[in-house]
Amino acid sequence: MKRVSVSLVQQALLILLSLVSLYPLWFAVQTALKTPQAYALDPSGLPRAPTLDNFLSLFDVMPFARWTLNSIVVSFVSVAAATLIAVLAAYAIVFGRFLGQRVFFNLNIALMALPPVALLVPLFTLMVQVGLINTLPSVTLVYAVLLIPFSVFFLVNFFRELPLELIEAATIDGASHMRILFRIVMPLSVATTATLVIVNAIWVWNELLFALVFLQNNSQRTLMAGLTLFQGRYSTNEPLVMAGAFLSILPLVILYLASQSFFVRGMTAGIGK
Amino acid sequence: MRLSLLRLRRHKDFVGPERRLQRRRTIGRRLWPYLFVTPAALAIAAGFLYPLAKVVWFSFYSGSLGALTYVGTANYTGLWQDPVFFQSVLNNLKLLTTVPIMTILALLIALILNAQIRGWRQYRAIVFFPYILPATAIGLVFGYLLERNGVLNTQLRHWQLGWMAKDWLGSAADVVPAIGGVIIWQQLGFGVVVFAAALLAVPQELVEAAKLDGANGWQIQRAILIPYIRRTIEFFVVVEAITVLSSIFTYVYVLTKGGPAEASSVMEYYIFENGFENGAIGVASAAVVVLLVLACVLIGFYLRLRASGADTGR
């Protein structure tokens, strides 16, 4: 009897927790489906006459489609560059031997914990000097660099689990290390690399600080930087702002629903056996 | 700071297996590791090391780019005399109290999930979900929820709890706790997933043996489960402390822009405001150096935790 009541309390707690976790997203959705008048009358109620007008006017009042495209391009290019650079470095750290190997790896670990804001001012002045400020390549380059330490760390930990005999055998057969990496190691690392790419892409998609400072031209913003502009201009049009917020979250929701277990498994792969 | 649970992975000696290969290596072949790490090394030098050196250099200068003058330590004494900077540091310290709250809550939830109650995987997935969302969008949503007549206050009044309703983002006294609440809301799930995974790794024999000895659920949790995952808990605390100290700009920018009247400014926001709104890159850089000194203490803990994993193998 006591056991049943304990588990009921636990279930109730977890349901409450789930509601608290999901409510803000639900609020964004239901607000986005209301007219501003309907929201003013009843901010927390269900939309009586749902409308998609807010989603449509997003694309009229601001270059929302352009921002979305910018975010996609920036995420894609920076993550691809960081992954490639990190794969090469991680392979050398695990299977090669070079001067400063341990120092280099430890440097990557330390830099993972470095606050990005520390780099903001000097990277800004650097981008001004090389004439990239207000262009998408500025943030793309910065993101690619910022992703490297974590990516190296992540890949090194995975590469160490690979059977060394495979690499050894290929070396004896005279295969070049480039070939071993892309023909043997990478095919074995598809799931790991995919996890890394997703985690990194989400980070780039969500990044605000550098995007805000580096991109001041309206058509050159990323989605997150654009959203804050929205907030400034249309803060009294709650449904419009919520429509923008919801659309910026939507790709993440889809990704999470599609690969949630893979996600959690991938992100917890390092602890517990 | 960006994280994934993979950071909890422990150090292993990475030169060991290499020695076996070493014997067969010719001199020409030894060059390849350098070629492989060159792109990463260059990127780190240009994107991390050069800016870090430059920011220290900037902190001794005043004026705008192209017209900088050396001012010695004037920027630092300026910080010392600036009440806004003090307020910002204080707010960061206040927000650090979210870390123990988050840790305890996450631990409790993880222990409940660990009992493998019905639907625990689904609950875990739901609780983790906020963690992947953009803080910008979260900030926009909470900005409306926490308004004076927003949904939270309306509900509180509806439940006859009107005395709890506050002008969350508009009053100097309540704004920092409100931001802390949003941070907890988003980061909690990360802790739950980390702890739940660590708990799953506790050997079942340990728990069974304790049960045979007549230990009850609470005793098992306190005497076996929590000590067993202590290292994971330490990691979470350090990592979250670094995050709250140095990576919460987005919440502050979107929720309050540091307001009302700088009451909710944090160090990052101070750096942003001085560097880019006021054009005082020297002041901003000096604030960065102060932030780095504070962060270094935590980063030191973090590196030590990581290194200690290699010795104990746990």
Side-chain angles (χ1 to χ4, degrees):
Chain A
M1 194 57 209
K2 195 183 160 209
R3 182 161 287 181
V4 172
S5 67
V6 166
S7 89
L8 269 181
V9 170
Q10 290 179 338
Q11 285 287 347
L13 271 174
L14 289 173
I15 289 170
L16 183 71
L17 185 72
S18 302
L19 290 176
V20 172
S21 296
L22 294 177
Y23 181 77
L25 185 67
W26 170 247
F27 173 80
V29 176
Q30 67 166 11
T31 303
L33 294 172
K34 290 173 185 173
T35 61
Q37 293 77 16
Y39 178 81
L41 283 174
D42 182 11
S44 61
L46 291 170
R48 296 261 166 88
T51 169
L52 291 175
D53 287 354
N54 297 310
F55 290 101
L56 298 175
S57 51
L58 276 180
F59 295 90
D60 287 338
V61 297
M62 291 247 166
F64 200 84
R66 180 63 198 265
W67 294 341
T68 309
L69 183 69
N70 290 346
S71 273
I72 293 171
V73 171
V74 169
S75 305
F76 188 83
V77 177
S78 62
V79 172
T83 308
L84 182 67
I85 293 171
V87 160
L88 290 171
Y91 181 86
I93 288 171
V94 177
F95 300 113
R97 178 165 248 207
F98 58 91
L99 218 66
Q101 189 164 12
R102 192 176 274 273
V103 172
F104 180 71
F105 183 59
N106 286 338
L107 181 65
N108 277 285
I109 292 178
L111 290 178
M112 286 194 314
L114 187 85
V117 70
L119 311 170
L120 188 67
V121 173
L123 286 178
F124 177 83
T125 59
L126 182 69
M127 289 300 166
V128 171
Q129 280 162 348
V130 297
L132 284 177
I133 208 69
N134 286 333
T135 68
L136 293 176
S138 66
V139 286
T140 310
L141 279 170
V142 168
Y143 293 159
V145 170
L146 287 176
L147 293 176
I148 287 173
F150 171 68
S151 306
V152 168
F153 171 77
F154 186 102
L155 290 165
V156 163
N157 280 317
F158 178 75
F159 286 171
R160 280 181 189 157
E161 307 284 322
L162 293 175
L164 195 72
E165 294 73 22
L166 267 177
I167 316 297
E168 217 162 336
T171 321
I172 295 162
D173 290 348
S176 74
H177 282 282
M178 220 29 128
R179 200 177 159 83
I180 298 172
L181 173 56
F182 288 103
R183 290 290 166 82
I184 299 172
V185 173
M186 288 318 285
L188 290 172
S189 318
V190 173
T192 302
T193 314
T195 307
L196 178 66
V197 165
I198 290 175
V199 172
N200 280 344
I202 289 175
W203 184 83
V204 173
W205 184 267
N206 291 351
E207 207 284 333
L208 177 68
L209 182 59
F210 283 91
L212 192 68
V213 170
F214 282 23
L215 306 171
Q216 305 280 341
N217 281 352
N218 213 13
S219 67
Q220 298 293 304
R221 285 174 214 275
T222 61
L223 194 47
M224 293 308 146
L227 273 181
T228 62
L229 195 74
F230 243 97
Q231 178 198 24
R233 275 194 212 162
Y234 298 95
S235 66
T236 52
N237 188 343
E238 293 90 348
L240 185 69
V241 176
M242 286 299 95
F246 177 68
L247 278 194
S248 80
I249 290 176
L250 191 60
L252 302 177
V253 176
I254 294 170
L255 200 62
Y256 193 62
L257 288 178
S259 59
Q260 178 265 317
S261 60
F262 168 73
F263 228 82
V264 173
R265 214 182 311 138
M267 291 184 90
T268 55
I271 38 172
K273 290 264 146 61
Chain B
M1 148 181 200
R2 302 182 52 233
L3 320 150
S4 123
L5 310 184
L6 271 141
R7 292 195 180 177
L8 298 171
R9 214 171 237 238
R10 40 214 64 109
H11 238 325
K12 278 182 204 136
D13 184 35
F14 54 86
V15 281
E18 170 60 18
R19 294 217 173 97
R20 279 184 274 158
L21 275 177
Q22 191 64 31
R23 269 177 249 135
R24 302 198 185 86
R25 196 149 287 150
T26 61
I27 291 172
R29 275 189 184 165
R30 285 201 188 137
L31 201 60
W32 71 266
Y34 293 96
L35 296 175
F36 275 42
V37 293
T38 298
L42 286 178
I44 285 172
F48 285 100
L49 305 183
Y50 162 77
L52 283 176
K54 193 82 181 175
V55 82
V56 176
W57 188 82
F58 274 147
S59 75
F60 296 106
Y61 284 78
S62 169
S64 57
L65 193 63
L68 289 167
T69 44
Y70 180 77
V71 294
T73 56
N75 290 325
Y76 291 95
T77 45
L79 285 182
W80 184 248
Q81 288 155 357
D82 186 353
V84 177
F85 184 68
F86 262 93
Q87 185 65 48
S88 305
V89 177
L90 186 66
N91 286 339
N92 274 115
L93 296 179
K94 280 185 189 166
L95 286 171
L96 279 178
T97 56
T98 59
V99 176
I101 298 173
M102 253 188 291
T103 308
I104 291 166
L105 279 178
L107 205 49
L108 285 175
I109 297 164
L111 285 169
I112 294 176
L113 291 179
N114 191 51
Q116 314 248 312
I117 70 170
R118 190 194 285 268
W120 68 276
R121 280 173 205 278
Q122 284 74 22
Y123 288 127
R124 189 183 59 175
I126 291 170
V127 176
F128 187 66
F129 177 64
Y131 185 67
I132 68 162
L133 299 179
T136 308
I138 296 310
L140 293 177
V141 175
F142 274 95
Y144 292 135
L145 290 176
L146 298 175
E147 272 177 340
R148 190 194 291 269
N149 288 313
V151 171
L152 178 64
N153 284 344
T154 312
Q155 278 308 316
L156 286 174
R157 287 180 198 121
H158 180 76
W159 291 328
Q160 310 299 322
L161 293 168
W163 56 273
M164 281 177 76
K166 303 246 165 70
D167 187 7
W168 297 106
L169 302 176
S171 87
D174 301 313
V175 67
V176 175
I179 292 172
V182 177
I183 293 173
I184 293 174
W185 178 83
Q186 178 157 34
Q187 307 267 332
L188 183 66
F190 174 63
V192 172
V193 168
V194 176
F195 295 152
L199 287 171
L200 275 180
V202 177
Q204 209 50 44
E205 303 90 85
L206 272 179
V207 180
E208 294 301 327
K211 272 186 192 155
L212 284 178
D213 290 345
N216 63 30
W218 167 242
Q219 285 169 331
I220 290 176
Q221 287 172 359
R222 221 191 38 184
I224 297 176
L225 296 181
I226 292 179
Y228 197 87
I229 67 167
R230 207 185 108 191
R231 221 177 87 86
T232 308
I233 298 172
E234 287 170 350
F235 245 112
F236 178 76
V237 168
V238 172
V239 155
E240 280 300 329
I242 296 174
T243 305
V244 172
L245 188 73
S246 64
S247 298
I248 51 169
F249 169 82
T250 307
Y251 300 106
V252 174
Y253 181 79
V254 178
L255 283 168
T256 66
K257 299 251 187 330
E262 317 286 355
S264 66
S265 178
V266 291
M267 278 185 276
E268 284 170 281
Y269 193 77
Y270 184 88
I271 292 162
F272 165 80
E273 221 178 19
N274 277 286
F276 300 97
E277 315 257 280
N278 307 341
I281 56 175
V283 176
S285 299
V288 165
V289 174
V290 174
L291 171 63
L292 280 177
V293 169
L294 295 176
C296 270
V297 178
L298 291 170
I299 294 174
F301 274 121
Y302 166 79
L303 292 177
R304 224 177 59 188
L305 271 176
R306 205 160 258 314
S308 73
D311 306 333
T312 62
R314 245 201 69 193

